[in-house]
Amino acid sequence: DEIVILLGTGMRISELYGLTKSDVDFQKGVVRIERQLTRTRNCEYYIENPKTESGFRQIPMSAEVQRAFHNVIRSRKSPKVEVIVGGHTGFLFLDKDGKPKVAGHMEHAMKRIVDNYNKSHTDKLVVTPHVLRHTFCTEMAQAGMPVKELQYLMGHADANTTMNTYTHMSFEAAKQALHKRMPSSHKTQESQEYQESQESLKSQHSPKSSESQQSSEPHYMAESGASSIPAISHHISGLA
């Protein structure tokens, strides 16, 4: 359910795990993003505001996302003690010990999913949780959503960050599709040219904010493109 929600909303993982039941409005069909939940190495929880003022937003929920939230709320077990962080309690996503989840939980869960997938498939995946957010951005852009509306949903302060995210993922998908069809004798040269093109893209789109820096970091996806990520959904289980 968490992966379905991330793929269907584009929210950051820390925003997802900062949600409480009151943030999900089924009547209006939106989820409100107002905070991020994080944890220190000493296992101390704390609340952060979204990365920018633009991070405060309401994201419309598709029917699939609403079903996923219903599943989460229905299956959530009340812990012996509800953790209070920064005046907020009742976090939707809990681990097996009844404590709020943080980004590390998703990273470990994604690693298990990808490892299980790679054991039985020749098209090896290298997928990080942040790719889910980038995939949402790419799919909305390819569906024709105007940049300003997509910028709002992503919570980007700068529309250039939104376009940089889309450009990176689209270029990566096109490169990998071409690579699969290219004769092996040309792949070495193609790989070198790809590296040069990546350097060119980075110089053209230098990051302008902390969010831009995060978006410019390398993220990987399946060779068949963004659409391959939902294909491994049947491997998703036990995300605690």
Side-chain angles (χ1 to χ4, degrees):
D1 290 320
E2 287 141 284
I3 291 180
V4 169
I5 293 169
L6 290 171
L7 278 172
T9 62
M11 71 177 76
R12 301 173 179 89
I13 299 172
S14 55
E15 294 173 340
L16 175 72
Y17 288 151
L19 294 175
T20 64
K21 187 175 180 180
S22 62
D23 295 317
V24 183
D25 191 333
F26 290 108
Q27 185 174 357
K28 293 183 178 180
V30 299
V31 55
R32 287 183 287 271
I33 309 300
E34 298 179 349
R35 74 193 70 85
Q36 298 182 103
L37 179 65
T38 54
R39 191 173 65 183
T40 67
R41 292 183 178 179
N42 296 326
C43 295
E44 296 177 351
Y45 290 95
Y46 63 98
I47 293 291
E48 288 185 331
N49 286 332
K51 288 182 176 294
T52 66
E53 284 299 317
S54 301
F56 292 91
R57 61 201 189 279
Q58 295 186 35
I59 302 177
M61 296 186 291
S62 66
E64 187 177 24
V65 169
Q66 290 196 47
R67 282 195 298 271
F69 271 117
H70 276 299
N71 291 339
V72 170
I73 293 171
R74 183 171 56 252
S75 62
R76 182 186 186 275
K77 297 179 180 179
S78 297
K80 294 180 179 179
V81 178
E82 288 280 4
V83 175
I84 302 175
V85 185
H88 301 280
T89 189
F91 295 99
L92 285 178
F93 299 93
L94 306 178
D95 63 17
K96 56 183 175 54
D97 297 319
K99 296 180 180 180
K101 289 184 177 182
V102 291
H105 289 88
M106 177 60 70
E107 291 168 0
H108 293 148
M110 287 288 291
K111 184 179 185 304
R112 291 201 305 270
I113 294 168
V114 171
D115 287 346
N116 288 337
Y117 182 91
N118 287 341
K119 287 178 182 178
S120 57
H121 293 75
T122 57
D123 56 328
K124 304 301 183 182
L125 291 176
V126 183
V127 182
T128 65
H130 202 68
V131 167
L132 303 177
R133 176 168 161 82
H134 281 198
T135 299
F136 171 84
C137 181
T138 298
E139 291 185 345
M140 293 300 100
Q142 290 177 341
M145 178 176 287
V147 174
K148 295 302 291 183
E149 281 81 350
L150 183 53
Q151 175 190 350
Y152 170 80
L153 291 179
M154 296 293 289
H156 288 152
D158 188 343
N160 286 333
T161 303
T162 307
M163 289 309 300
N164 288 350
T165 300
Y166 170 61
T167 299
H168 172 79
M169 295 296 282
S170 296
F171 185 86
E172 180 72 11
K175 174 259 177 182
Q176 291 175 352
L178 181 63
H179 188 78
K180 290 180 67 176
R181 291 163 175 77
M182 184 175 294
S184 58
S185 60
H186 295 289
K187 287 184 179 180
T188 301
Q189 179 181 356
E190 186 272 347
S191 179
Q192 181 178 354
E193 292 173 350
Y194 167 68
Q195 294 295 333
E196 293 174 353
S197 67
Q198 286 293 81
E199 292 300 322
S200 176
L201 279 175
K202 289 180 181 178
S203 65
Q204 293 175 19
H205 303 288
S206 57
K208 298 182 180 180
S209 66
S210 60
E211 173 66 18
S212 297
Q213 292 174 351
Q214 183 180 17
S215 297
S216 65
E217 295 176 357
H219 297 287
Y220 305 93
M221 56 195 299
E223 288 188 359
S224 54
S227 61
S228 292
I229 296 177
I232 65 174
S233 60
H234 64 282
H235 290 273
I236 301 167
S237 62
L239 293 182

